[in-house]
Amino acid sequence: MKTNNSNGNHDQCEMFYYDEEKVNRLSLRIESKEFTATADIFKALSDETRLKIAYTLTEDNELCVCDIASIIGITNATASHHLRHLRNLRIAKSRKQGKMVFYSIDDPHVTSLIVNTMVHSQED
């Protein structure tokens, strides 16, 4: 299918033509995926405080809530609130030892995602 589009926009094709086989194949693959959980992870990490917390957790194996709050410069209550959100999305996991709660990254894929995104964002 072809349609002319000569508005000079460099963000889109000047004419509309698509590869029907490719579109059909990839459309089926996209339709078979569930994106909600992944979108939720990106939404959680789009909050700068939660991203700082998650990044801090990639820098050490395990940190208590008090350590995280001090590193990030927030209150324990704020840190706990954000950490709970990260734990609910399986970005972070926690363990309690006596009166202390320690957090760590839940999965190496999350560490890769955070570290690679930070590296990418700092490239020229």
Side-chain angles (χ1 to χ4, degrees), residues 78-116:
T78 300
S80 293
H81 169 78
H82 287 294
L83 285 159
R84 186 177 317 110
H85 190 65
L86 294 174
R87 188 185 68 229
N88 289 341
L89 290 170
R90 295 182 16 227
I91 294 170
K93 61 184 175 183
S94 66
R95 72 173 182 86
K96 191 162 186 167
Q97 182 177 332
K99 294 183 179 188
M100 306 291 287
V101 179
F102 293 88
Y103 280 85
S104 58
I105 294 294
D106 192 22
D107 185 293
H109 294 106
V110 174
T111 299
S112 295
L113 174 68
I114 294 165
V115 170
N116 288 332

PDB file of all heavy atoms in Angstrom, residues 78-116:
ATOM      1  N   THR A  78      10.084   7.842  53.744  1.00  0.00           N
ATOM      2  CA  THR A  78      10.039   7.984  52.284  1.00  0.00           C
ATOM      3  C   THR A  78      10.763   6.827  51.612  1.00  0.00           C
ATOM      4  O   THR A  78      10.267   6.256  50.635  1.00  0.00           O
ATOM      5  CB  THR A  78      10.647   9.332  51.856  1.00  0.00           C
ATOM      6  OG1 THR A  78       9.896  10.388  52.459  1.00  0.00           O
ATOM      7  CG2 THR A  78      10.638   9.499  50.345  1.00  0.00           C
ATOM      8  N   ALA A  79      11.923   6.473  52.144  1.00  0.00           N
ATOM      9  CA  ALA A  79      12.673   5.334  51.594  1.00  0.00           C
ATOM     10  C   ALA A  79      11.840   4.065  51.676  1.00  0.00           C
ATOM     11  O   ALA A  79      11.739   3.314  50.699  1.00  0.00           O
ATOM     12  CB  ALA A  79      13.997   5.163  52.331  1.00  0.00           C
ATOM     13  N   SER A  80      11.225   3.819  52.824  1.00  0.00           N
ATOM     14  CA  SER A  80      10.395   2.621  53.010  1.00  0.00           C
ATOM     15  C   SER A  80       9.244   2.581  52.017  1.00  0.00           C
ATOM     16  O   SER A  80       8.930   1.533  51.451  1.00  0.00           O
ATOM     17  CB  SER A  80       9.843   2.565  54.433  1.00  0.00           C
ATOM     18  OG  SER A  80      10.882   2.357  55.345  1.00  0.00           O
ATOM     19  N   HIS A  81       8.613   3.733  51.815  1.00  0.00           N
ATOM     20  CA  HIS A  81       7.486   3.815  50.866  1.00  0.00           C
ATOM     21  C   HIS A  81       7.941   3.411  49.459  1.00  0.00           C
ATOM     22  O   HIS A  81       7.312   2.580  48.803  1.00  0.00           O
ATOM     23  CB  HIS A  81       6.925   5.241  50.869  1.00  0.00           C
ATOM     24  CG  HIS A  81       5.967   5.505  49.758  1.00  0.00           C
ATOM     25  ND1 HIS A  81       4.664   5.067  49.795  1.00  0.00           N
ATOM     26  CD2 HIS A  81       6.125   6.148  48.572  1.00  0.00           C
ATOM     27  CE1 HIS A  81       4.051   5.438  48.672  1.00  0.00           C
ATOM     28  NE2 HIS A  81       4.913   6.083  47.921  1.00  0.00           N
ATOM     29  N   HIS A  82       9.058   3.988  49.001  1.00  0.00           N
ATOM     30  CA  HIS A  82       9.551   3.677  47.658  1.00  0.00           C
ATOM     31  C   HIS A  82      10.066   2.241  47.562  1.00  0.00           C
ATOM     32  O   HIS A  82       9.849   1.569  46.555  1.00  0.00           O
ATOM     33  CB  HIS A  82      10.639   4.669  47.248  1.00  0.00           C
ATOM     34  CG  HIS A  82      10.108   6.030  46.929  1.00  0.00           C
ATOM     35  ND1 HIS A  82       9.282   6.285  45.858  1.00  0.00           N
ATOM     36  CD2 HIS A  82      10.284   7.222  47.553  1.00  0.00           C
ATOM     37  CE1 HIS A  82       8.976   7.566  45.809  1.00  0.00           C
ATOM     38  NE2 HIS A  82       9.571   8.159  46.844  1.00  0.00           N
ATOM     39  N   LEU A  83      10.722   1.776  48.599  1.00  0.00           N
ATOM     40  CA  LEU A  83      11.221   0.399  48.599  1.00  0.00           C
ATOM     41  C   LEU A  83      10.081  -0.616  48.556  1.00  0.00           C
ATOM     42  O   LEU A  83      10.186  -1.645  47.888  1.00  0.00           O
ATOM     43  CB  LEU A  83      12.115   0.157  49.815  1.00  0.00           C
ATOM     44  CG  LEU A  83      13.500   0.784  49.698  1.00  0.00           C
ATOM     45  CD1 LEU A  83      14.132   0.952  51.067  1.00  0.00           C
ATOM     46  CD2 LEU A  83      14.379  -0.050  48.774  1.00  0.00           C
ATOM     47  N   ARG A  84       8.997  -0.321  49.243  1.00  0.00           N
ATOM     48  CA  ARG A  84       7.821  -1.205  49.207  1.00  0.00           C
ATOM     49  C   ARG A  84       7.304  -1.311  47.774  1.00  0.00           C
ATOM     50  O   ARG A  84       6.964  -2.396  47.291  1.00  0.00           O
ATOM     51  CB  ARG A  84       6.744  -0.672  50.143  1.00  0.00           C
ATOM     52  CG  ARG A  84       5.539  -1.581  50.289  1.00  0.00           C
ATOM     53  CD  ARG A  84       4.497  -1.042  51.289  1.00  0.00           C
ATOM     54  NE  ARG A  84       5.106  -0.513  52.498  1.00  0.00           N
ATOM     55  CZ  ARG A  84       5.143   0.793  52.819  1.00  0.00           C
ATOM     56  NH1 ARG A  84       4.601   1.701  52.017  1.00  0.00           N
ATOM     57  NH2 ARG A  84       5.711   1.202  53.927  1.00  0.00           N
ATOM     58  N   HIS A  85       7.257  -0.168  47.090  1.00  0.00           N
ATOM     59  CA  HIS A  85       6.797  -0.155  45.702  1.00  0.00           C
ATOM     60  C   HIS A  85       7.739  -0.992  44.825  1.00  0.00           C
ATOM     61  O   HIS A  85       7.277  -1.803  44.008  1.00  0.00           O
ATOM     62  CB  HIS A  85       6.725   1.292  45.199  1.00  0.00           C
ATOM     63  CG  HIS A  85       6.045   1.452  43.886  1.00  0.00           C
ATOM     64  ND1 HIS A  85       4.718   1.171  43.695  1.00  0.00           N
ATOM     65  CD2 HIS A  85       6.510   1.853  42.681  1.00  0.00           C
ATOM     66  CE1 HIS A  85       4.389   1.397  42.434  1.00  0.00           C
ATOM     67  NE2 HIS A  85       5.468   1.811  41.798  1.00  0.00           N
ATOM     68  N   LEU A  86       9.041  -0.824  45.002  1.00  0.00           N
ATOM     69  CA  LEU A  86      10.013  -1.604  44.228  1.00  0.00           C
ATOM     70  C   LEU A  86       9.912  -3.093  44.547  1.00  0.00           C
ATOM     71  O   LEU A  86      10.048  -3.933  43.658  1.00  0.00           O
ATOM     72  CB  LEU A  86      11.428  -1.096  44.494  1.00  0.00           C
ATOM     73  CG  LEU A  86      11.739   0.322  44.004  1.00  0.00           C
ATOM     74  CD1 LEU A  86      13.121   0.760  44.471  1.00  0.00           C
ATOM     75  CD2 LEU A  86      11.615   0.425  42.496  1.00  0.00           C
ATOM     76  N   ARG A  87       9.652  -3.411  45.800  1.00  0.00           N
ATOM     77  CA  ARG A  87       9.507  -4.824  46.193  1.00  0.00           C
ATOM     78  C   ARG A  87       8.241  -5.426  45.582  1.00  0.00           C
ATOM     79  O   ARG A  87       8.253  -6.559  45.094  1.00  0.00           O
ATOM     80  CB  ARG A  87       9.461  -4.946  47.715  1.00  0.00           C
ATOM     81  CG  ARG A  87       9.506  -6.399  48.186  1.00  0.00           C
ATOM     82  CD  ARG A  87       9.335  -6.526  49.684  1.00  0.00           C
ATOM     83  NE  ARG A  87       7.984  -6.150  50.034  1.00  0.00           N
ATOM     84  CZ  ARG A  87       7.646  -5.294  51.017  1.00  0.00           C
ATOM     85  NH1 ARG A  87       8.557  -4.747  51.773  1.00  0.00           N
ATOM     86  NH2 ARG A  87       6.390  -5.011  51.245  1.00  0.00           N
ATOM     87  N   ASN A  88       7.156  -4.677  45.587  1.00  0.00           N
ATOM     88  CA  ASN A  88       5.902  -5.181  45.023  1.00  0.00           C
ATOM     89  C   ASN A  88       6.012  -5.488  43.523  1.00  0.00           C
ATOM     90  O   ASN A  88       5.300  -6.352  43.020  1.00  0.00           O
ATOM     91  CB  ASN A  88       4.761  -4.189  45.268  1.00  0.00           C
ATOM     92  CG  ASN A  88       4.339  -4.133  46.713  1.00  0.00           C
ATOM     93  OD1 ASN A  88       4.616  -5.047  47.501  1.00  0.00           O
ATOM     94  ND2 ASN A  88       3.684  -3.054  47.096  1.00  0.00           N
ATOM     95  N   LEU A  89       6.901  -4.785  42.852  1.00  0.00           N
ATOM     96  CA  LEU A  89       7.115  -5.027  41.417  1.00  0.00           C
ATOM     97  C   LEU A  89       8.257  -6.006  41.150  1.00  0.00           C
ATOM     98  O   LEU A  89       8.648  -6.219  40.012  1.00  0.00           O
ATOM     99  CB  LEU A  89       7.395  -3.708  40.701  1.00  0.00           C
ATOM    100  CG  LEU A  89       6.196  -2.776  40.603  1.00  0.00           C
ATOM    101  CD1 LEU A  89       6.622  -1.413  40.093  1.00  0.00           C
ATOM    102  CD2 LEU A  89       5.125  -3.374  39.710  1.00  0.00           C
ATOM    103  N   ARG A  90       8.823  -6.589  42.227  1.00  0.00           N
ATOM    104  CA  ARG A  90       9.915  -7.548  42.142  1.00  0.00           C
ATOM    105  C   ARG A  90      11.183  -6.940  41.553  1.00  0.00           C
ATOM    106  O   ARG A  90      11.997  -7.625  40.945  1.00  0.00           O
ATOM    107  CB  ARG A  90       9.495  -8.801  41.379  1.00  0.00           C
ATOM    108  CG  ARG A  90       8.409  -9.582  42.086  1.00  0.00           C
ATOM    109  CD  ARG A  90       7.986 -10.856  41.382  1.00  0.00           C
ATOM    110  NE  ARG A  90       8.918 -11.309  40.379  1.00  0.00           N
ATOM    111  CZ  ARG A  90       8.581 -11.688  39.154  1.00  0.00           C
ATOM    112  NH1 ARG A  90       7.332 -11.698  38.784  1.00  0.00           N
ATOM    113  NH2 ARG A  90       9.490 -12.100  38.294  1.00  0.00           N
ATOM    114  N   ILE A  91      11.338  -5.629  41.737  1.00  0.00           N
ATOM    115  CA  ILE A  91      12.584  -4.965  41.372  1.00  0.00           C
ATOM    116  C   ILE A  91      13.581  -5.154  42.506  1.00  0.00           C
ATOM    117  O   ILE A  91      14.762  -5.371  42.281  1.00  0.00           O
ATOM    118  CB  ILE A  91      12.341  -3.464  41.082  1.00  0.00           C
ATOM    119  CG1 ILE A  91      11.459  -3.316  39.831  1.00  0.00           C
ATOM    120  CG2 ILE A  91      13.652  -2.705  40.941  1.00  0.00           C
ATOM    121  CD1 ILE A  91      10.966  -1.915  39.581  1.00  0.00           C
ATOM    122  N   ALA A  92      13.077  -5.087  43.730  1.00  0.00           N
ATOM    123  CA  ALA A  92      13.898  -5.282  44.924  1.00  0.00           C
ATOM    124  C   ALA A  92      13.270  -6.366  45.790  1.00  0.00           C
ATOM    125  O   ALA A  92      12.082  -6.671  45.666  1.00  0.00           O
ATOM    126  CB  ALA A  92      14.005  -3.979  45.711  1.00  0.00           C
ATOM    127  N   LYS A  93      14.088  -6.931  46.658  1.00  0.00           N
ATOM    128  CA  LYS A  93      13.589  -7.904  47.630  1.00  0.00           C
ATOM    129  C   LYS A  93      14.100  -7.476  48.999  1.00  0.00           C
ATOM    130  O   LYS A  93      15.078  -6.726  49.104  1.00  0.00           O
ATOM    131  CB  LYS A  93      14.020  -9.328  47.285  1.00  0.00           C
ATOM    132  CG  LYS A  93      15.517  -9.539  47.251  1.00  0.00           C
ATOM    133  CD  LYS A  93      15.872 -10.944  46.805  1.00  0.00           C
ATOM    134  CE  LYS A  93      17.392 -11.083  46.674  1.00  0.00           C
ATOM    135  NZ  LYS A  93      17.771 -12.391  46.180  1.00  0.00           N
ATOM    136  N   SER A  94      13.426  -7.959  50.031  1.00  0.00           N
ATOM    137  CA  SER A  94      13.815  -7.552  51.380  1.00  0.00           C
ATOM    138  C   SER A  94      13.944  -8.761  52.293  1.00  0.00           C
ATOM    139  O   SER A  94      13.395  -9.828  52.024  1.00  0.00           O
ATOM    140  CB  SER A  94      12.779  -6.590  51.955  1.00  0.00           C
ATOM    141  OG  SER A  94      11.539  -7.250  52.142  1.00  0.00           O
ATOM    142  N   ARG A  95      14.679  -8.541  53.359  1.00  0.00           N
ATOM    143  CA  ARG A  95      14.754  -9.536  54.425  1.00  0.00           C
ATOM    144  C   ARG A  95      14.884  -8.763  55.730  1.00  0.00           C
ATOM    145  O   ARG A  95      15.498  -7.700  55.783  1.00  0.00           O
ATOM    146  CB  ARG A  95      15.906 -10.510  54.225  1.00  0.00           C
ATOM    147  CG  ARG A  95      17.271  -9.948  54.454  1.00  0.00           C
ATOM    148  CD  ARG A  95      18.375 -11.008  54.416  1.00  0.00           C
ATOM    149  NE  ARG A  95      19.651 -10.366  54.691  1.00  0.00           N
ATOM    150  CZ  ARG A  95      20.142 -10.149  55.908  1.00  0.00           C
ATOM    151  NH1 ARG A  95      19.466 -10.531  56.981  1.00  0.00           N
ATOM    152  NH2 ARG A  95      21.309  -9.556  56.070  1.00  0.00           N
ATOM    153  N   LYS A  96      14.266  -9.303  56.753  1.00  0.00           N
ATOM    154  CA  LYS A  96      14.301  -8.668  58.057  1.00  0.00           C
ATOM    155  C   LYS A  96      15.287  -9.411  58.942  1.00  0.00           C
ATOM    156  O   LYS A  96      15.307 -10.634  58.986  1.00  0.00           O
ATOM    157  CB  LYS A  96      12.913  -8.661  58.689  1.00  0.00           C
ATOM    158  CG  LYS A  96      12.831  -7.799  59.914  1.00  0.00           C
ATOM    159  CD  LYS A  96      11.413  -7.465  60.269  1.00  0.00           C
ATOM    160  CE  LYS A  96      11.461  -6.471  61.426  1.00  0.00           C
ATOM    161  NZ  LYS A  96      10.209  -5.853  61.656  1.00  0.00           N
ATOM    162  N   GLN A  97      16.121  -8.649  59.633  1.00  0.00           N
ATOM    163  CA  GLN A  97      17.070  -9.210  60.585  1.00  0.00           C
ATOM    164  C   GLN A  97      16.918  -8.400  61.869  1.00  0.00           C
ATOM    165  O   GLN A  97      17.351  -7.251  61.944  1.00  0.00           O
ATOM    166  CB  GLN A  97      18.496  -9.113  60.058  1.00  0.00           C
ATOM    167  CG  GLN A  97      19.527  -9.718  60.985  1.00  0.00           C
ATOM    168  CD  GLN A  97      20.919  -9.663  60.372  1.00  0.00           C
ATOM    169  OE1 GLN A  97      21.090  -9.674  59.154  1.00  0.00           O
ATOM    170  NE2 GLN A  97      21.913  -9.582  61.228  1.00  0.00           N
ATOM    171  N   GLY A  98      16.267  -9.009  62.852  1.00  0.00           N
ATOM    172  CA  GLY A  98      15.976  -8.285  64.090  1.00  0.00           C
ATOM    173  C   GLY A  98      15.052  -7.118  63.792  1.00  0.00           C
ATOM    174  O   GLY A  98      13.976  -7.289  63.234  1.00  0.00           O
ATOM    175  N   LYS A  99      15.492  -5.925  64.111  1.00  0.00           N
ATOM    176  CA  LYS A  99      14.680  -4.721  63.872  1.00  0.00           C
ATOM    177  C   LYS A  99      15.057  -4.014  62.575  1.00  0.00           C
ATOM    178  O   LYS A  99      14.508  -2.972  62.260  1.00  0.00           O
ATOM    179  CB  LYS A  99      14.844  -3.758  65.046  1.00  0.00           C
ATOM    180  CG  LYS A  99      14.267  -4.314  66.335  1.00  0.00           C
ATOM    181  CD  LYS A  99      14.378  -3.315  67.456  1.00  0.00           C
ATOM    182  CE  LYS A  99      13.764  -3.929  68.714  1.00  0.00           C
ATOM    183  NZ  LYS A  99      13.669  -2.962  69.795  1.00  0.00           N
ATOM    184  N   MET A 100      15.978  -4.586  61.848  1.00  0.00           N
ATOM    185  CA  MET A 100      16.465  -3.968  60.610  1.00  0.00           C
ATOM    186  C   MET A 100      15.863  -4.684  59.399  1.00  0.00           C
ATOM    187  O   MET A 100      15.663  -5.892  59.418  1.00  0.00           O
ATOM    188  CB  MET A 100      17.994  -4.067  60.523  1.00  0.00           C
ATOM    189  CG  MET A 100      18.736  -3.519  61.731  1.00  0.00           C
ATOM    190  SD  MET A 100      18.604  -1.737  61.887  1.00  0.00           S
ATOM    191  CE  MET A 100      19.661  -1.226  60.575  1.00  0.00           C
ATOM    192  N   VAL A 101      15.614  -3.902  58.342  1.00  0.00           N
ATOM    193  CA  VAL A 101      15.140  -4.456  57.074  1.00  0.00           C
ATOM    194  C   VAL A 101      16.187  -4.137  56.017  1.00  0.00           C
ATOM    195  O   VAL A 101      16.571  -2.977  55.844  1.00  0.00           O
ATOM    196  CB  VAL A 101      13.770  -3.885  56.662  1.00  0.00           C
ATOM    197  CG1 VAL A 101      13.324  -4.466  55.328  1.00  0.00           C
ATOM    198  CG2 VAL A 101      12.732  -4.148  57.737  1.00  0.00           C
ATOM    199  N   PHE A 102      16.646  -5.175  55.335  1.00  0.00           N
ATOM    200  CA  PHE A 102      17.677  -5.050  54.318  1.00  0.00           C
ATOM    201  C   PHE A 102      17.065  -5.298  52.944  1.00  0.00           C
ATOM    202  O   PHE A 102      16.237  -6.190  52.777  1.00  0.00           O
ATOM    203  CB  PHE A 102      18.813  -6.043  54.574  1.00  0.00           C
ATOM    204  CG  PHE A 102      19.592  -5.734  55.814  1.00  0.00           C
ATOM    205  CD1 PHE A 102      19.201  -6.239  57.048  1.00  0.00           C
ATOM    206  CD2 PHE A 102      20.714  -4.931  55.744  1.00  0.00           C
ATOM    207  CE1 PHE A 102      19.913  -5.951  58.190  1.00  0.00           C
ATOM    208  CE2 PHE A 102      21.444  -4.632  56.887  1.00  0.00           C
ATOM    209  CZ  PHE A 102      21.045  -5.144  58.109  1.00  0.00           C
ATOM    210  N   TYR A 103      17.512  -4.508  51.981  1.00  0.00           N
ATOM    211  CA  TYR A 103      17.017  -4.627  50.606  1.00  0.00           C
ATOM    212  C   TYR A 103      18.169  -4.939  49.653  1.00  0.00           C
ATOM    213  O   TYR A 103      19.308  -4.537  49.879  1.00  0.00           O
ATOM    214  CB  TYR A 103      16.341  -3.329  50.161  1.00  0.00           C
ATOM    215  CG  TYR A 103      14.929  -3.203  50.669  1.00  0.00           C
ATOM    216  CD1 TYR A 103      14.667  -2.690  51.927  1.00  0.00           C
ATOM    217  CD2 TYR A 103      13.856  -3.616  49.888  1.00  0.00           C
ATOM    218  CE1 TYR A 103      13.373  -2.581  52.397  1.00  0.00           C
ATOM    219  CE2 TYR A 103      12.556  -3.516  50.351  1.00  0.00           C
ATOM    220  CZ  TYR A 103      12.321  -2.991  51.605  1.00  0.00           C
ATOM    221  OH  TYR A 103      11.044  -2.908  52.063  1.00  0.00           O
ATOM    222  N   SER A 104      17.818  -5.626  48.596  1.00  0.00           N
ATOM    223  CA  SER A 104      18.759  -5.906  47.513  1.00  0.00           C
ATOM    224  C   SER A 104      17.949  -5.989  46.217  1.00  0.00           C
ATOM    225  O   SER A 104      16.722  -6.069  46.241  1.00  0.00           O
ATOM    226  CB  SER A 104      19.514  -7.209  47.762  1.00  0.00           C
ATOM    227  OG  SER A 104      18.614  -8.290  47.888  1.00  0.00           O
ATOM    228  N   ILE A 105      18.655  -5.965  45.097  1.00  0.00           N
ATOM    229  CA  ILE A 105      17.992  -6.128  43.799  1.00  0.00           C
ATOM    230  C   ILE A 105      17.501  -7.566  43.706  1.00  0.00           C
ATOM    231  O   ILE A 105      18.199  -8.504  44.084  1.00  0.00           O
ATOM    232  CB  ILE A 105      18.960  -5.789  42.645  1.00  0.00           C
ATOM    233  CG1 ILE A 105      19.337  -4.300  42.679  1.00  0.00           C
ATOM    234  CG2 ILE A 105      18.364  -6.167  41.297  1.00  0.00           C
ATOM    235  CD1 ILE A 105      18.184  -3.350  42.403  1.00  0.00           C
ATOM    236  N   ASP A 106      16.285  -7.740  43.201  1.00  0.00           N
ATOM    237  CA  ASP A 106      15.642  -9.056  43.178  1.00  0.00           C
ATOM    238  C   ASP A 106      16.170  -9.978  42.087  1.00  0.00           C
ATOM    239  O   ASP A 106      16.084 -11.195  42.202  1.00  0.00           O
ATOM    240  CB  ASP A 106      14.135  -8.875  43.028  1.00  0.00           C
ATOM    241  CG  ASP A 106      13.360 -10.158  43.276  1.00  0.00           C
ATOM    242  OD1 ASP A 106      13.885 -11.059  43.939  1.00  0.00           O
ATOM    243  OD2 ASP A 106      12.217 -10.255  42.801  1.00  0.00           O
ATOM    244  N   ASP A 107      16.712  -9.425  41.011  1.00  0.00           N
ATOM    245  CA  ASP A 107      17.062 -10.248  39.863  1.00  0.00           C
ATOM    246  C   ASP A 107      18.201  -9.583  39.089  1.00  0.00           C
ATOM    247  O   ASP A 107      18.194  -8.366  38.918  1.00  0.00           O
ATOM    248  CB  ASP A 107      15.813 -10.346  38.974  1.00  0.00           C
ATOM    249  CG  ASP A 107      15.975 -11.259  37.791  1.00  0.00           C
ATOM    250  OD1 ASP A 107      16.774 -10.927  36.898  1.00  0.00           O
ATOM    251  OD2 ASP A 107      15.287 -12.289  37.742  1.00  0.00           O
ATOM    252  N   PRO A 108      19.173 -10.358  38.611  1.00  0.00           N
ATOM    253  CA  PRO A 108      20.282  -9.758  37.851  1.00  0.00           C
ATOM    254  C   PRO A 108      19.825  -9.021  36.590  1.00  0.00           C
ATOM    255  O   PRO A 108      20.498  -8.094  36.135  1.00  0.00           O
ATOM    256  CB  PRO A 108      21.163 -10.953  37.474  1.00  0.00           C
ATOM    257  CG  PRO A 108      20.690 -12.110  38.258  1.00  0.00           C
ATOM    258  CD  PRO A 108      19.334 -11.797  38.792  1.00  0.00           C
ATOM    259  N   HIS A 109      18.679  -9.404  36.028  1.00  0.00           N
ATOM    260  CA  HIS A 109      18.169  -8.684  34.849  1.00  0.00           C
ATOM    261  C   HIS A 109      17.857  -7.236  35.200  1.00  0.00           C
ATOM    262  O   HIS A 109      18.048  -6.333  34.384  1.00  0.00           O
ATOM    263  CB  HIS A 109      16.912  -9.367  34.289  1.00  0.00           C
ATOM    264  CG  HIS A 109      17.178 -10.714  33.733  1.00  0.00           C
ATOM    265  ND1 HIS A 109      16.804 -11.863  34.371  1.00  0.00           N
ATOM    266  CD2 HIS A 109      17.811 -11.104  32.604  1.00  0.00           C
ATOM    267  CE1 HIS A 109      17.169 -12.906  33.661  1.00  0.00           C
ATOM    268  NE2 HIS A 109      17.801 -12.469  32.581  1.00  0.00           N
ATOM    269  N   VAL A 110      17.349  -7.017  36.401  1.00  0.00           N
ATOM    270  CA  VAL A 110      17.025  -5.657  36.843  1.00  0.00           C
ATOM    271  C   VAL A 110      18.309  -4.846  36.962  1.00  0.00           C
ATOM    272  O   VAL A 110      18.364  -3.690  36.543  1.00  0.00           O
ATOM    273  CB  VAL A 110      16.240  -5.684  38.178  1.00  0.00           C
ATOM    274  CG1 VAL A 110      16.041  -4.285  38.713  1.00  0.00           C
ATOM    275  CG2 VAL A 110      14.904  -6.390  37.995  1.00  0.00           C
ATOM    276  N   THR A 111      19.338  -5.455  37.535  1.00  0.00           N
ATOM    277  CA  THR A 111      20.628  -4.772  37.639  1.00  0.00           C
ATOM    278  C   THR A 111      21.119  -4.374  36.255  1.00  0.00           C
ATOM    279  O   THR A 111      21.530  -3.233  36.036  1.00  0.00           O
ATOM    280  CB  THR A 111      21.667  -5.675  38.341  1.00  0.00           C
ATOM    281  OG1 THR A 111      21.207  -5.965  39.654  1.00  0.00           O
ATOM    282  CG2 THR A 111      23.027  -5.001  38.410  1.00  0.00           C
ATOM    283  N   SER A 112      21.067  -5.290  35.313  1.00  0.00           N
ATOM    284  CA  SER A 112      21.505  -4.999  33.939  1.00  0.00           C
ATOM    285  C   SER A 112      20.699  -3.858  33.335  1.00  0.00           C
ATOM    286  O   SER A 112      21.265  -2.963  32.699  1.00  0.00           O
ATOM    287  CB  SER A 112      21.370  -6.235  33.055  1.00  0.00           C
ATOM    288  OG  SER A 112      22.238  -7.241  33.490  1.00  0.00           O
ATOM    289  N   LEU A 113      19.402  -3.901  33.517  1.00  0.00           N
ATOM    290  CA  LEU A 113      18.533  -2.859  32.982  1.00  0.00           C
ATOM    291  C   LEU A 113      18.924  -1.490  33.532  1.00  0.00           C
ATOM    292  O   LEU A 113      19.095  -0.530  32.775  1.00  0.00           O
ATOM    293  CB  LEU A 113      17.067  -3.163  33.337  1.00  0.00           C
ATOM    294  CG  LEU A 113      16.048  -2.092  32.981  1.00  0.00           C
ATOM    295  CD1 LEU A 113      15.915  -1.960  31.474  1.00  0.00           C
ATOM    296  CD2 LEU A 113      14.716  -2.429  33.618  1.00  0.00           C
ATOM    297  N   ILE A 114      19.100  -1.402  34.833  1.00  0.00           N
ATOM    298  CA  ILE A 114      19.419  -0.121  35.468  1.00  0.00           C
ATOM    299  C   ILE A 114      20.803   0.357  35.058  1.00  0.00           C
ATOM    300  O   ILE A 114      20.974   1.513  34.632  1.00  0.00           O
ATOM    301  CB  ILE A 114      19.296  -0.241  36.997  1.00  0.00           C
ATOM    302  CG1 ILE A 114      17.835  -0.488  37.381  1.00  0.00           C
ATOM    303  CG2 ILE A 114      19.830   1.004  37.695  1.00  0.00           C
ATOM    304  CD1 ILE A 114      17.633  -0.971  38.802  1.00  0.00           C
ATOM    305  N   VAL A 115      21.798  -0.500  35.160  1.00  0.00           N
ATOM    306  CA  VAL A 115      23.175  -0.108  34.841  1.00  0.00           C
ATOM    307  C   VAL A 115      23.299   0.263  33.367  1.00  0.00           C
ATOM    308  O   VAL A 115      23.882   1.300  33.025  1.00  0.00           O
ATOM    309  CB  VAL A 115      24.167  -1.224  35.236  1.00  0.00           C
ATOM    310  CG1 VAL A 115      25.561  -0.940  34.697  1.00  0.00           C
ATOM    311  CG2 VAL A 115      24.194  -1.386  36.753  1.00  0.00           C
ATOM    312  N   ASN A 116      22.743  -0.545  32.480  1.00  0.00           N
ATOM    313  CA  ASN A 116      22.831  -0.243  31.050  1.00  0.00           C
ATOM    314  C   ASN A 116      22.106   1.052  30.694  1.00  0.00           C
ATOM    315  O   ASN A 116      22.580   1.819  29.849  1.00  0.00           O
ATOM    316  CB  ASN A 116      22.283  -1.399  30.214  1.00  0.00           C
ATOM    317  CG  ASN A 116      23.203  -2.590  30.218  1.00  0.00           C
ATOM    318  OD1 ASN A 116      24.404  -2.460  30.368  1.00  0.00           O
ATOM    319  ND2 ASN A 116      22.636  -3.771  30.060  1.00  0.00           N
TER     320      ASN A 116
END
